[in-house]
Amino acid sequence: MLPIPDRPAPGLTTYDAKDPDTTFPPIEPLLPPRGAPNVLVVLLDDVGFGASSAFGGPCRTPTAERLAAGGLRYNRFHTTALCAPTRQALLTGRNHHSVGMGSITETATSSPGYCSLRPNTKAPLPMTLKLNGYSTAQFGKCHEVPVWQTSPMGPFDAWPTGGGGFETFYGFIGGENNQWEPALYEGTTPVEPPATAEEGYHLTEDLADRANAWMRQQKALMPDRPFFVYFAPGATHAPHHVPKEWADRYAGEFDDGWDAARERTFTRQKEAGLVPADADLPARHDEISSWDDMPDDLKPVLARQMEVYAGFLEHTDHQVGRLVDTLDELGITDDTLIYYIIGDNGASAEGTMNGAFNEMANFNGMAALETTEFLRSKLDELGGPESYNHYSVGWAWAMCAPFQWTKQVASHWGGTRNGTIVQWPRGIGGHGGLRSQFTHVIDLAPTVLEAAGLPEPTMVNGVQQSPMEGTSMLYSFDDAAAPERHDLQYFEMFGNRGIYHRGWSAVTKHRTPWIMMGGRVPPFDEDVWELYDGGSDYSQAHDLAEEKPEILAGLQRLWLIEATKYGVLPLDDRTSERIEPSMAGRPTLVQGRSQLFFPGMGRLSENSVVSIKNKSFTVTAELEVPARGAAGVVIAQGGRFGGWALYATEGCAAFCYNVLGIQHFTTLADVPLPEGRHQLRMEFAYDGGGLAKGGDVTLYHDGTRVGSGRVDVTQPAIFSADETTDVGYESGTPVSPDYTAATSRFTGRLHWVQLDLGDDDHYLDPDERLRIAIARQ
């Protein structure tokens, strides 16, 4: 029962403390059992099984190899095929549908398996550890917060330091972030990065700095208290941001393309014994272009995309190495259980076959703007602060070698099998071994509890708990031949589904991740199932469905039983109903067609602001202009890679609509803002007739027209996955080149800003809306 109840022992109570019979037991700090290890869990983002050199890949990861040499490699460890579901499963020891994370939070419904709310009957592991005397800290990505709770006002029940069980949190809320200019939180308080990209700042380095400082201080002040540190950088999720010198280490290594790179990886995997000698490499699917079929003039860009990604992964591994070095310096490596999970799902295939300079282009259905000529012109900027880049589908596929498919495809191992390394010198007898028992991310929590000698709680904060659904991996630490104990596991993500049982797997792919516009999604009953014998077919290369229909039928039935048990049903591939909150049954932070802002408000995600996309809208501001004139931002949404801003420059009001960082449409007032208190208004009249259309801009001072302009095209779905709305200043990157973040603060006095929507909404086609939302995460 947690918290552990205070139960004072009965005894003699004296009247006078000076009485010789006055005695009380000393106050003892709450500590876990003697020998409970420190725990460091490292979870990388969007890394396929065949990317890291520790598992035969082309990206050099010396820290992973170093830990593997002193610990164990698991070559049949699995995730859920998507980031937020994997993270919630890891932190709770339960299947992702059991904890409400069957999908991304943006498509949450009122169905329990997809609501994005963790039931209070399934307390997270950090809470259990904290209530048993562990120090707990998280650094990096938190993507488990429901979208209507992501504003700076919470509520914070789902935040790491709210109900998550962490005493310290430093990182970001959401699916991805700009590595050069991130939107950070310390606890629940928005904070700015300690330096700029020009000064050498990089998010992953910052996270490692903070984690190292925390571990040093914790051991300096509490040497007898073990810690649980969860290090989950946004790397290597897009955007692939890395200092140029790291990408340049791979110059020329990928010039022969993804087909050849995949073959080389498979050869190394066999030579190292990471995959069975009799494994075969599955053929490339028709949906994925061969390297030879790609345009020759695009190939230098494609090769550079992979060089940047490889540098990004090596750079990330280097930061993990700094954490391991700190453990060595503190002399606690032997007493620390380290999990290094190389990817929360397979490699991301959300960058189109051509890759992207700004991944938001594809999410808006506007990838055609990034022509070959445009991409070639941006080659030298890939990975830098001016880019928001992603690599080609072909590279994602190659990085998942030797398996089929990629991230999102929960049916096949390419989406769910991630190389994992476990090291615990005092708890693992052998070093450098390979473990091939089937394991899953839900197994981590029960493993940590068993290693710490702690029972799984039956009551937490007065709420009876449901049992964990994972299986401790401790039995495999000293016995490579031990029979696997986790021998049944279902998989499901966006209708892609599968089942593993005692070596066999039955799977069916329902969606293709990178097809965001158009395409037919079949009825569930028309999905084609495949059957694989894992005992002789490690890589799912030989479909036995026609040869063994009776085994397939039994596994299909078993999938249905498990899906019913864990809240997967009803399967849900609806589109517009899940995008629209009222139809999906989830709350919204802001309701109605008007929103009032006050100066200083900021870090408001797109889900915290009424949407102005595909419609007319008006921005009205009450402000006071000083005698020297006005400058700075009145209100801005988004940033360098897409958004809009109402601001003042050289004393005149201006409105800028930034389309993906490719086109800027700026309207400037004809006369300066007059001194004193006035109303500034911007009206945007949408053309209508569909999505992403343009519109006319008109600026007013106190109702008098002072300027007009034109926006030729707009973004129909999303401005940014990490930039926010700010009032009176702009955090992150600037929407307009007319100012910088440092010069964005409004020089006059703002009283309020109001955003009003027109009544001419134009909605996305249902299929398009859901695919865009899926691709965002």
Side-chain angles (χ1 to χ4, degrees), residues 648-705:
T649 178
E650 297 182 354
C652 295
F655 175 79
C656 176
Y657 196 104
N658 175 345
V659 180
L660 300 168
I662 299 173
Q663 297 172 291
H664 293 79
F665 300 100
T666 301
T667 299
L668 186 67
D670 301 327
V671 295
L673 281 161
E675 182 183 353
R677 184 163 180 163
H678 300 277
Q679 270 197 9
L680 169 65
R681 188 169 83 253
M682 187 286 305
E683 292 184 355
F684 178 76
Y686 188 65
D687 290 342
L691 307 176
K693 304 300 181 182
D696 294 321
V697 177
T698 310
L699 297 173
Y700 298 88
H701 293 170
D702 299 321
T704 300
R705 177 172 170 161

Side-chain angles (χ1 to χ4, degrees), residues 357-376:
F357 182 73
N358 179 359
E359 65 167 343
M360 292 299 132
N362 196 35
F363 298 165
N364 282 281
M366 306 172 81
L369 290 177
E370 295 197 338
T371 62
T372 297
E373 182 181 8
F374 171 82
L375 291 171
R376 285 178 62 88

Side-chain angles (χ1 to χ4, degrees), residues 201-487:
Y201 178 85
H202 190 280
L203 174 58
T204 316
E205 298 174 10
D206 184 20
L207 295 174
D209 289 344
R210 295 296 290 257
N212 279 332
W214 186 92
M215 289 191 293
R216 292 187 180 108
Q217 178 167 272
Q218 195 272 346
K219 285 305 170 192
L221 298 177
M222 301 178 175
D224 297 327
R225 186 181 300 276
F227 60 65
F228 177 83
V229 170
Y230 176 39
F231 186 76
T236 57
H237 195 294
H240 301 159
H241 283 161
V242 68
K244 184 176 182 297
E245 60 269 21
W246 289 82
D248 288 347
R249 297 181 180 191
Y250 291 87
E253 294 189 22
F254 302 103
D255 288 352
D256 55 354
W258 44 72
D259 298 283
R262 185 171 182 255
E263 293 279 355
R264 285 194 296 270
T265 293
F266 187 53
T267 298
R268 287 191 296 265
Q269 290 170 334
K270 280 196 169 186
E271 291 173 347
L274 296 168
V275 305
D278 60 356
D280 291 321
L281 189 62
R284 176 173 38 80
H285 292 275
D286 292 340
E287 293 95 324
I288 304 170
S289 300
S290 72
W291 179 258
D292 290 341
D293 287 339
M294 299 302 293
D296 288 339
D297 55 351
L298 184 61
K299 287 179 179 178
V301 178
L302 297 172
R304 184 58 178 174
Q305 291 170 2
M306 187 58 215
E307 293 170 8
V308 169
Y309 178 83
F312 192 18
L313 181 52
E314 183 175 352
H315 176 266
T316 303
D317 179 81
H318 179 76
Q319 309 313 315
V320 176
R322 294 175 54 213
L323 270 62
V324 177
D325 290 343
T326 296
L327 298 178
D328 291 342
E329 294 165 6
L330 294 172
I332 58 175
T333 300
D334 288 351
D335 296 313
T336 302
L337 171 61
I338 301 175
Y339 263 84
Y340 191 174
I341 306 173
I342 308 178
D344 55 355
N345 40 244
S348 170
E350 297 149 352
T352 80
M353 282 308 308
N354 288 352
F357 182 73
N358 179 359
E359 65 167 343
M360 292 299 132
N362 196 35
F363 298 165
N364 282 281
M366 306 172 81
L369 290 177
E370 295 197 338
T371 62
T372 297
E373 182 181 8
F374 171 82
L375 291 171
R376 285 178 62 88
S377 73
K378 297 294 186 180
L379 187 148
D380 292 335
E381 297 178 30
L382 288 173
E386 301 301 319
S387 69
Y388 206 84
N389 52 307
H390 204 327
Y391 60 8
S392 167
V393 166
W395 293 122
W397 168 70
M399 293 305 103
C400 293
F403 307 117
Q404 300 182 54
W405 299 112
T406 61
K407 173 185 178 180
Q408 295 191 26
V409 186
S411 51
H412 292 73
W413 297 147
T416 63
R417 187 165 284 182
N418 287 91
T420 294
I421 297 164
V422 180
Q423 178 183 285
W424 183 20
R426 202 175 297 282
I428 299 175
H431 298 158
L434 179 69
R435 295 294 183 268
S436 294
Q437 292 90 344
F438 184 95
T439 48
H440 192 274
V441 69
I442 62 175
D443 297 337
L444 183 144
T447 304
V448 170
L449 290 180
E450 185 178 1
L454 293 172
E456 182 182 331
T458 57
M459 189 82 70
V460 176
N461 293 325
V463 180
Q464 186 171 350
Q465 298 295 292
S466 66
M468 286 186 177
E469 294 154 12
T471 302
S472 172
M473 297 166 56
L474 212 65
Y475 75 93
S476 68
F477 283 4
D478 289 326
D479 189 355
E484 66 187 25
R485 298 183 183 179
H486 190 149
D487 62 2

Side-chain angles (χ1 to χ4, degrees), residues 590 592-593 595 606-617 637 644 715-719 755-758 761 769:
V590 180
R593 307 187 67 80
Q595 187 170 2
E606 287 196 31
N607 289 290
S608 302
V609 178
V610 293
S611 176
I612 57 91
K613 302 176 190 75
N614 308 305
K615 60 176 69 73
S616 300
F617 67 99
Q637 180 175 39
W644 60 271
Q715 293 180 215
I718 177 176
F719 289 121
L755 179 58
D756 295 291
L757 306 181
D761 293 19
R769 290 174 68 97

